[in-house]
Amino acid sequence: MGKNLTKRSDDYSKWYNELVVKADLAENSAVRGCMVIKPYGFAIWEKMQAELDRMFKESGHQNAYFPLFVPKSLFEAEEKNAEGFAKECAVVTHYRLKNDPDNPGKLKVDPEAKLEEELVVRPTSEAVIWNTYKNWIQSYRDLPIKVNQWANVVRWEMRTRLFLRTSEFLWQEGHTAHETKEEALQETELMNDIYAEFAENFMAIPVVKGSKTENERFAGALETYCIEALMQDGKALQAGTSHFLGQNFAKAFDVKFATKDGGLEHVWATSWGVSTRLIGALIMTHSDDKGLVLPPNLAPIQVVIVPIYKGEEQLEQISEVANELVKDLRAVGISVKYDDRDTQKPGWKFAQYELQGVPVRLAIGPKDLEKGTVELARRDTLTKEFINRDKVVEKIRSLMTEIQEDLFNKAKSFRDEHITEVDSFDEFKKVLKQKGGFISAHWDGTPETENKIKELTKATIRCIPFNRKDEAGECVLTGKPSEGRVLFAKAY
Amino acid sequence: MGKNLTKRSDDYSKWYNELVVKADLAENSAVRGCMVIKPYGFAIWEKMQAELDRMFKESGHQNAYFPLFVPKSLFEAEEKNAEGFAKECAVVTHYRLKNDPDNPGKLKVDPEAKLEEELVVRPTSEAVIWNTYKNWIQSYRDLPIKVNQWANVVRWEMRTRLFLRTSEFLWQEGHTAHETKEEALQETELMNDIYAEFAENFMAIPVVKGSKTENERFAGALETYCIEALMQDGKALQAGTSHFLGQNFAKAFDVKFATKDGGLEHVWATSWGVSTRLIGALIMTHSDDKGLVLPPNLAPIQVVIVPIYKGEEQLEQISEVANELVKDLRAVGISVKYDDRDTQKPGWKFAQYELQGVPVRLAIGPKDLEKGTVELARRDTLTKEFINRDKVVEKIRSLMTEIQEDLFNKAKSFRDEHITEVDSFDEFKKVLKQKGGFISAHWDGTPETENKIKELTKATIRCIPFNRKDEAGECVLTGKPSEGRVLFAKAY
């Protein structure tokens, strides 16, 4: 229960790990680095999927499905992409097990069932998809292609953390093909904007939109746009990326199209994705020492009703009221659970739903029956009030919006207070150590300086914000000229 | 286009393969045995998923997600299950690629990145899930667990066919845990019933419910229930299965629970699944020589509107009417596409939408403008009629139900006509050869006889129907006593 949860101020990392498990979101599995997403955690992912899928379709994208495996020869075709992912690939080499003669009841890899060509378990699908697009694209009439896939991917990670970094994770990956550079750049920006809108309006997570430096770009991209969020411990988290791939994959896979005026050109590409990592961002943006805090949009259960009673007769009377409320709330589209289990005490239930972040809790006891009231508790503010029974539905409807907005505003205030402009490297180090958050500083534009700062402070450039001011300045490390500030932070 | 499609009577198998590709449902990929599900095909799968997911949740199931990989030691824990799948396993042995010094620009498996324990890419998830349930279940209070997962699985197949048999496929797999044998058996039956309801009411595919013989059972199950459908070429297709696993997995993974009366017992299990194979069943149940025929419930586009015009002015007038219809049809929940592309002729579009199985086509030409009519064509019957414009919405609403029902009834008549009772083995062979379909015959109940019949005829026992009459008889092959008829057929 919440009482046993480590305090954030004591050990933020431990708090996070405990919370994910105690709130029944996910757990480690027997497979190194792979997690089990439990029903409560998966229900949150389903809500995210439904909303993103709606946004993708409304912006003209369709879903499809491409193979899990990438033959090695395709994997290595786009050199930078291959180089970027080669070190973390799970590789299938055989297609059969057989009885192990030395160990009765055990199996071993059948050496006679070795694949002619090894198969990489997809760490991302550009290779297999562009090899497919080659056959789909002949002329400008076949363009644009705007396809998304919901899938699992595998990147072999040495140090893993539930949701934030796992060897297998779930994500969506969009892959689009365009006639012109301009159109591809527009798509890259559009999808980054959609991610930002989703993060802010649906997840109540404020984000900074910007582009990545060369160091931090996706392997094989000419440009990576991103949304960057700030966690409560002052570390940044990349919440989504959208890549302009130029003609790199079209060239690697020889994808050309007949242009309107009779020419033959390579196709322009984008790809973009968000993953179950967003659940980590959700947790670390809103939750507190008592457990999860979920924005109503993402809460699998928005309202829980707990009866407080002695004896069967009281329970029956309370249940009558509760069931009526359940019906009325469901009728207006609010998901509600009435927990009348007699195996647990009300106090236990209160702690449980606090831990699991249910936005609103209603309690109904004998006195409420007399007075025609219910006790309403908000998870985010931990405040309580009594409400007349006939006002409950109206109150909860408005609360759903109010809580959603309050969570966003609270997170935004925190984020805004943690963007600090600094103009010297001493200040940079001091702010990073004492306050954390985003550090807005001038940078000379070179990877060398970026690497040096990373080496000295562990902070990296999270993004070059799209909305930064034109402001000439001097690099915080080298003193060389800079055109504008970038955002540094330590990051997940 | 449809014109070039092989006729079913000429070569059913070729017709199927061509149709899947030409109708833009799926295609083979560069990865042996793995398919690409194209947007139009995936849209059908999404409709199936949405409906099944709704049915699962309404019957008390929740979704979760378990790892793609099964460590070899877990895979081999339940002996029969392991034996059943060992021969078709993709096995991950390494977790890194490195530059190949002998081939600049190429990669090779890094021999230093060999896994200590091989990982099997899940062919099914009982092992990894029951190893997880072990930690979730201590007492009867933790039961039942009713969890489903939507996932990809891999079974290395030597001869593959799009949708019907692919090395990777998409499916859902439910895995439940119960206190008693009775409860688990009830769940097994419930899920088989849900599959039958889905197949018949949503996909318009009539099915026979029954249980599998020992030979045809899921590896590791004590009982496999199934729904069996009949394709137009007289071959059967297993459309869904629900397994009663007894305590096999609980014993293999040591999953015990404290009972209400203080004992300690192994948990009872079920698992059940349907896959993208259902799309193959859909195609082979309803489609014809002109292409796909889709039941309205599953059609990504239910109505297409094609303008027939000369010149811009006529197009504008027609578009005004068409756009009004689009609006009105969408308002009543019908998915409609207005295809006013000027790159293709109406005849091309007609053939295209016939090929893709759009249930209703509306055409609007200059004469329709004068008369206030539209031409309505039904895909399933290939009939046409003129409808007054103000009757279109009403007509189409009722047609959606009518077509759905007609398709089911047509398939059911065909299926019923192709269940033949036979009482001698000569008749058995004759019917199988000349007519195909299900053969209802007596069988002595032994695997040996079943195998012998398979050897002689390629027909297998598809199921022991739940609704068979008690009817003593003599086995069609051996003459030994039989308690009732079973259904034989050649099968996909």
Side-chain angles (χ1 to χ4, degrees):
Chain A
M1 289 304 95
K3 280 171 282 190
N4 305 323
L5 194 61
T6 294
K7 282 202 172 71
R8 286 169 295 169
S9 55
D10 286 348
D11 187 338
Y12 194 78
S13 174
K14 199 170 166 206
W15 165 83
Y16 174 83
N17 294 340
E18 282 180 11
L19 179 52
V20 170
V21 172
K22 291 188 179 208
D24 260 349
L25 298 177
E27 62 185 35
N28 285 307
S29 76
V31 190
R32 219 195 125 284
C34 294
M35 65 181 159
V36 172
I37 306 179
K38 298 182 79 172
Y40 193 67
F42 201 82
I44 295 174
W45 179 238
E46 286 183 301
K47 285 187 175 270
M48 291 166 58
Q49 281 190 297
E51 178 67 6
L52 283 167
D53 203 68
R54 191 188 64 71
M55 294 175 92
F56 296 159
K57 284 176 178 157
E58 274 187 5
S59 54
H61 302 84
Q62 294 179 295
N63 288 329
Y65 188 76
F66 298 87
L68 170 68
F69 298 131
V70 189
K72 190 175 73 68
S73 58
L74 294 186
F75 181 81
E76 65 200 5
E78 208 293 320
E79 206 174 336
K80 282 191 183 157
N81 190 249
E83 193 188 308
F85 288 103
K87 287 188 195 110
E88 49 191 45
C89 282
V91 188
V92 175
T93 55
H94 292 74
Y95 58 87
R96 200 192 299 147
L97 294 173
K98 58 178 234 177
N99 289 323
D100 184 349
D102 303 331
N103 290 295
K106 304 290 177 184
L107 298 166
K108 56 176 277 192
V109 169
D110 183 347
E112 288 177 23
K114 191 169 188 303
L115 289 169
E116 277 178 44
E117 180 176 11
E118 294 89 352
L119 298 173
V120 173
V121 181
R122 64 181 163 219
T124 180
S125 299
E126 279 77 8
V128 80
I129 287 179
W130 277 89
N131 185 62
T132 306
Y133 282 179
K134 180 169 59 185
N135 303 316
W136 293 6
I137 299 169
Q138 273 84 43
S139 107
Y140 70 91
R141 283 185 208 88
D142 303 318
L143 296 171
I145 293 177
K146 295 167 77 174
V147 164
N148 174 62
Q149 127 170 314
W150 291 96
N152 52 344
V153 285
V154 172
R155 298 178 185 175
W156 206 261
E157 298 280 356
M158 285 302 156
R159 276 180 299 178
T160 60
R161 291 187 69 191
L162 293 168
F163 292 120
L164 297 172
R165 195 171 292 277
T166 48
S167 291
E168 181 192 12
F169 56 88
L170 302 182
W171 77 346
Q172 59 68 219
E173 47 181 326
H175 296 271
T176 69
H178 305 270
E179 282 184 69
T180 63
K181 180 177 176 179
E182 292 65 36
E183 200 184 295
L185 276 166
Q186 270 169 26
E187 170 80 6
T188 314
E189 196 175 339
L190 170 70
M191 297 320 294
N192 201 55
D193 285 348
I194 282 179
Y195 289 154
E197 196 187 319
F198 171 76
E200 300 205 329
N201 298 342
F202 203 75
M203 301 188 68
I205 300 178
V207 293
V208 179
K209 295 192 276 189
S211 59
K212 289 284 182 192
T213 60
E214 201 185 326
N215 274 4
E216 300 280 332
R217 239 174 245 157
F218 178 74
L222 298 187
E223 193 75 82
T224 288
Y225 298 161
C226 63
I227 54 170
E228 292 285 326
L230 191 67
M231 305 297 98
Q232 296 165 341
D233 63 345
K235 284 169 78 175
L237 186 145
Q238 174 182 300
T241 48
S242 181
H243 315 294
F244 170 64
L245 305 172
Q247 296 171 309
N248 286 355
F249 285 91
K251 285 176 181 166
F253 291 94
D254 192 28
V255 190
K256 289 179 187 159
F257 71 103
T259 61
K260 280 184 187 114
D261 51 14
L264 197 64
E265 279 178 23
H266 282 112
V267 177
W268 297 85
T270 84
S271 68
W272 29 274
V274 298
S275 75
T276 35
R277 188 162 213 249
L278 279 176
I279 299 176
L282 181 74
I283 297 166
M284 290 196 293
T285 300
H286 303 302
S287 302
D288 63 24
D289 290 349
K290 291 193 178 282
L292 275 186
V293 174
L294 292 175
N297 282 346
L298 286 167
I301 304 164
Q302 293 174 313
V303 176
V304 64
I305 306 176
V306 177
I308 298 167
Y309 62 97
K310 284 186 186 141
E312 269 304 308
E313 198 187 331
Q314 262 186 17
L315 177 60
E316 264 174 44
Q317 291 169 336
I318 292 171
S319 292
E320 204 175 306
V321 174
N323 287 324
E324 194 69 24
L325 282 176
V326 167
K327 212 180 68 188
D328 294 347
L329 287 166
R330 286 199 183 139
V332 297
I334 288 167
S335 68
V336 50
K337 175 176 172 178
Y338 175 43
D339 185 351
D340 61 352
R341 284 179 294 172
D342 60 3
T343 48
Q344 307 292 353
K345 302 269 186 224
W348 187 96
K349 294 177 187 174
F350 285 14
Q352 176 68 15
Y353 295 112
E354 253 173 29
L355 180 62
Q356 293 200 295
V358 176
V360 171
R361 179 188 77 218
L362 302 177
I364 310 176
K367 283 204 177 145
D368 295 304
L369 286 184
E370 278 171 35
K371 294 183 189 166
T373 55
V374 305
E375 191 200 56
L376 183 154
R378 265 177 78 155
R379 174 63 186 90
D380 60 331
T381 53
L382 296 170
T383 50
K384 291 181 200 175
E385 59 182 313
F386 286 92
I387 308 280
N388 277 328
R389 212 187 288 161
D390 55 359
K391 299 283 183 204
V392 169
V393 174
E394 192 190 320
K395 174 71 180 178
I396 287 182
R397 281 183 80 160
S398 69
L399 261 186
M400 292 295 109
T401 313
E402 195 180 324
I403 295 173
Q404 184 78 27
E405 287 172 3
D406 285 0
L407 286 176
F408 177 75
N409 290 332
K410 190 178 166 196
K412 188 163 184 305
S413 297
F414 177 85
R415 196 273 314 268
D416 290 346
E417 284 160 19
H418 287 79
I419 302 181
T420 312
E421 288 198 357
V422 310
D423 290 309
S424 75
F425 198 59
D426 280 344
E427 215 185 332
F428 185 109
K429 287 184 287 188
K430 192 175 131 193
V431 170
L432 191 68
K433 191 172 172 191
Q434 292 179 352
K435 186 178 173 189
F438 289 118
I439 296 181
S440 176
H442 281 286
W443 162 63
D444 64 20
T446 67
E448 293 73 28
T449 301
E450 191 179 358
N451 286 336
K452 187 77 191 167
I453 292 176
K454 185 176 178 182
E455 223 180 279
L456 294 169
T457 67
K458 292 187 180 156
T460 51
I461 300 178
R462 301 320 303 150
C463 72
I464 305 164
F466 289 147
N467 68 354
R468 72 171 178 178
K469 288 173 291 186
D470 282 333
E471 180 197 320
E474 288 166 7
C475 174
V476 79
L477 186 74
T478 63
K480 289 181 189 163
S482 147
E483 290 165 11
R485 293 173 185 273
V486 298
L487 290 185
F488 287 87
K490 290 188 193 171
Y492 278 96
Chain B
M1 291 306 96
K3 279 170 284 191
N4 305 322
L5 194 60
T6 295
K7 283 201 171 70
R8 285 169 296 169
S9 55
D10 287 347
D11 188 337
Y12 194 79
S13 173
K14 199 171 167 203
W15 165 82
Y16 174 83
N17 294 339
E18 282 179 12
L19 179 52
V20 170
V21 172
K22 289 188 180 208
D24 261 351
L25 298 176
E27 62 186 35
N28 285 307
S29 77
V31 190
R32 219 195 125 286
C34 295
M35 65 180 160
V36 172
I37 306 180
K38 298 181 77 171
Y40 194 66
F42 200 81
I44 296 174
W45 178 241
E46 286 183 302
K47 285 186 176 273
M48 292 165 59
Q49 281 189 298
E51 178 66 7
L52 282 168
D53 203 68
R54 191 189 63 72
M55 293 174 92
F56 297 159
K57 283 176 178 159
E58 274 187 5
S59 52
H61 302 86
Q62 294 179 296
N63 288 329
Y65 188 76
F66 298 86
L68 170 68
F69 299 130
V70 189
K72 191 174 74 63
S73 57
L74 293 186
F75 180 81
E76 65 200 5
E78 206 293 320
E79 207 174 335
K80 283 191 182 156
N81 190 250
E83 192 188 309
F85 289 102
K87 288 188 193 108
E88 49 189 45
C89 281
V91 188
V92 175
T93 55
H94 292 76
Y95 59 85
R96 198 191 303 149
L97 294 173
K98 59 177 234 178
N99 289 323
D100 183 350
D102 302 330
N103 291 294
K106 305 288 177 186
L107 297 166
K108 56 176 277 190
V109 168
D110 184 347
E112 287 178 20
K114 192 168 186 304
L115 289 169
E116 277 178 43
E117 179 177 12
E118 295 89 351
L119 299 174
V120 173
V121 181
R122 64 180 163 219
T124 181
S125 300
E126 279 78 6
V128 80
I129 288 178
W130 277 89
N131 185 62
T132 306
Y133 282 179
K134 181 169 57 184
N135 303 317
W136 293 6
I137 299 168
Q138 273 84 42
S139 107
Y140 70 91
R141 283 185 208 88
D142 302 318
L143 296 171
I145 293 177
K146 295 167 76 175
V147 164
N148 175 63
Q149 128 170 314
W150 292 95
N152 53 345
V153 285
V154 172
R155 297 175 186 179
W156 205 261
E157 297 280 356
M158 283 305 157
R159 277 180 300 179
T160 60
R161 292 188 68 191
L162 293 167
F163 290 122
L164 296 173
R165 196 172 291 279
T166 48
S167 291
E168 181 192 11
F169 57 88
L170 303 182
W171 78 345
Q172 60 67 217
E173 48 182 323
H175 296 270
T176 69
H178 305 270
E179 281 183 73
T180 63
K181 179 177 177 181
E182 292 65 38
E183 200 184 295
L185 275 166
Q186 270 169 26
E187 170 80 5
T188 314
E189 195 174 341
L190 170 71
M191 297 321 293
N192 201 55
D193 285 347
I194 283 179
Y195 288 154
E197 195 187 320
F198 172 76
E200 301 206 327
N201 298 341
F202 203 73
M203 299 188 70
I205 301 179
V207 293
V208 179
K209 293 192 274 190
S211 59
K212 289 284 182 193
T213 60
E214 200 186 326
N215 274 5
E216 300 281 330
R217 238 173 247 155
F218 178 74
L222 298 188
E223 194 74 81
T224 288
Y225 297 160
C226 63
I227 54 171
E228 291 287 325
L230 190 67
M231 305 296 99
Q232 296 164 342
D233 63 345
K235 285 168 77 175
L237 187 145
Q238 173 183 299
T241 48
S242 183
H243 315 294
F244 169 63
L245 304 171
Q247 295 172 311
N248 286 354
F249 285 89
K251 285 176 182 167
F253 291 95
D254 192 29
V255 189
K256 289 179 187 157
F257 71 102
T259 62
K260 283 186 186 110
D261 51 13
L264 198 63
E265 279 178 22
H266 282 113
V267 178
W268 297 86
T270 84
S271 67
W272 28 273
V274 297
S275 75
T276 36
R277 188 160 213 248
L278 279 175
I279 299 176
L282 181 74
I283 296 166
M284 291 197 292
T285 300
H286 303 302
S287 302
D288 62 25
D289 290 348
K290 292 195 179 281
L292 274 187
V293 174
L294 292 174
N297 282 346
L298 285 167
I301 304 165
Q302 293 174 312
V303 176
V304 64
I305 305 176
V306 178
I308 298 167
Y309 62 96
K310 284 184 183 142
E312 269 304 307
E313 199 187 329
Q314 263 186 15
L315 177 61
E316 263 174 43
Q317 290 169 338
I318 292 170
S319 292
E320 205 175 303
V321 174
N323 286 325
E324 194 70 25
L325 282 176
V326 168
K327 212 180 68 188
D328 293 347
L329 287 167
R330 285 198 183 141
V332 297
I334 289 167
S335 68
V336 51
K337 174 177 174 176
Y338 175 44
D339 185 352
D340 62 350
R341 282 179 296 171
D342 60 2
T343 47
Q344 307 291 355
K345 302 269 187 226
W348 186 96
K349 293 178 188 174
F350 284 15
Q352 175 68 15
Y353 295 114
E354 254 171 29
L355 180 62
Q356 294 200 297
V358 176
V360 171
R361 178 188 78 219
L362 301 178
I364 309 175
K367 282 203 177 146
D368 295 305
L369 286 184
E370 277 170 34
K371 293 183 189 167
T373 56
V374 304
E375 191 200 56
L376 182 154
R378 264 176 79 154
R379 174 63 186 89
D380 61 330
T381 52
L382 296 169
T383 51
K384 291 181 199 175
E385 60 182 312
F386 286 93
I387 307 281
N388 277 328
R389 209 187 290 161
D390 55 359
K391 300 283 184 206
V392 169
V393 174
E394 192 189 322
K395 173 73 179 173
I396 288 182
R397 281 184 81 162
S398 67
L399 262 185
M400 291 296 108
T401 311
E402 195 180 325
I403 295 173
Q404 184 77 28
E405 287 172 1
D406 285 0
L407 286 176
F408 176 74
N409 290 332
K410 191 179 165 195
K412 188 165 185 304
S413 298
F414 177 85
R415 197 274 312 269
D416 290 346
E417 284 158 20
H418 286 80
I419 302 181
T420 313
E421 288 199 357
V422 309
D423 290 309
S424 76
F425 198 57
D426 281 344
E427 214 187 333
F428 185 109
K429 287 185 286 189
K430 194 174 130 194
V431 171
L432 191 68
K433 192 173 173 189
Q434 292 178 355
K435 187 178 173 189
F438 288 118
I439 296 181
S440 177
H442 281 286
W443 161 64
D444 65 16
T446 68
E448 293 74 25
T449 301
E450 190 179 358
N451 286 336
K452 187 77 190 167
I453 292 176
K454 185 177 179 182
E455 222 179 282
L456 294 168
T457 67
K458 290 186 182 159
T460 50
I461 299 178
R462 302 321 303 149
C463 72
I464 305 164
F466 288 147
N467 67 354
R468 73 171 177 177
K469 289 173 291 188
D470 282 331
E471 180 198 319
E474 289 167 5
C475 176
V476 79
L477 186 74
T478 64
K480 289 182 190 163
S482 147
E483 289 165 12
R485 293 173 183 275
V486 299
L487 290 184
F488 287 88
K490 289 188 192 169
Y492 279 95

Coordinates of all heavy atoms in Angstrom, one line a residue, chain B residues 1-6 22 289-290 347 351:
Chain B
M1 N -7.2 -6.0 -62.2 CA -8.7 -5.9 -61.9 C -9.3 -7.3 -62.0 O -8.7 -8.3 -62.3 CB -9.3 -5.0 -63.0 CG -8.9 -3.6 -62.9 SD -9.3 -2.9 -61.2 CE -7.7 -3.1 -60.4
G2 N -10.6 -7.3 -61.6 CA -11.4 -8.5 -61.5 C -11.3 -9.4 -62.8 O -11.3 -10.6 -62.7
K3 N -11.3 -8.7 -63.9 CA -11.3 -9.5 -65.2 C -10.1 -10.5 -65.3 O -10.2 -11.5 -65.8 CB -11.1 -8.5 -66.4 CG -12.5 -7.8 -66.7 CD -12.2 -6.7 -67.7 CE -11.7 -5.5 -67.0 NZ -11.7 -4.3 -67.9
N4 N -9.0 -10.1 -64.7 CA -7.8 -11.0 -64.8 C -7.7 -12.0 -63.7 O -6.8 -12.8 -63.6 CB -6.6 -10.1 -64.8 CG -6.6 -9.1 -65.8 OD1 -7.1 -9.3 -66.9 ND2 -6.1 -7.9 -65.5
L5 N -8.7 -12.1 -62.9 CA -8.7 -13.0 -61.7 C -9.0 -14.4 -62.3 O -9.9 -14.6 -63.0 CB -9.7 -12.6 -60.7 CG -9.7 -13.1 -59.3 CD1 -8.4 -12.8 -58.6 CD2 -10.9 -12.6 -58.5
T6 N -8.1 -15.3 -61.8 CA -8.4 -16.8 -62.2 C -9.8 -17.1 -61.6 O -10.2 -16.7 -60.6 CB -7.3 -17.6 -61.5 OG1 -6.1 -17.3 -62.1 CG2 -7.6 -19.1 -61.6
K22 N -4.3 -9.0 -55.3 CA -5.0 -8.0 -56.2 C -6.0 -7.1 -55.4 O -6.2 -5.9 -55.7 CB -5.7 -8.7 -57.3 CG -4.8 -9.2 -58.3 CD -5.5 -9.8 -59.5 CE -4.5 -10.3 -60.5 NZ -5.0 -10.2 -61.9
D289 N -15.9 -14.9 -58.4 CA -14.9 -14.7 -59.5 C -14.6 -13.3 -59.8 O -13.6 -13.0 -60.5 CB -15.4 -15.5 -60.7 CG -15.3 -17.0 -60.5 OD1 -14.7 -17.4 -59.5 OD2 -15.9 -17.7 -61.4
K290 N -15.4 -12.3 -59.3 CA -15.1 -10.9 -59.6 C -14.3 -10.3 -58.4 O -13.8 -9.2 -58.5 CB -16.4 -10.2 -59.7 CG -17.1 -10.5 -61.0 CD -18.2 -9.5 -61.3 CE -18.9 -9.8 -62.6 NZ -18.2 -9.4 -63.8
G347 N -15.5 2.9 -65.3 CA -15.5 1.5 -65.4 C -14.3 0.9 -64.6 O -14.5 -0.2 -64.0
A351 N -14.8 -1.8 -61.4 CA -14.1 -3.1 -61.3 C -13.3 -3.2 -60.0 O -13.2 -4.2 -59.3 CB -13.2 -3.3 -62.5

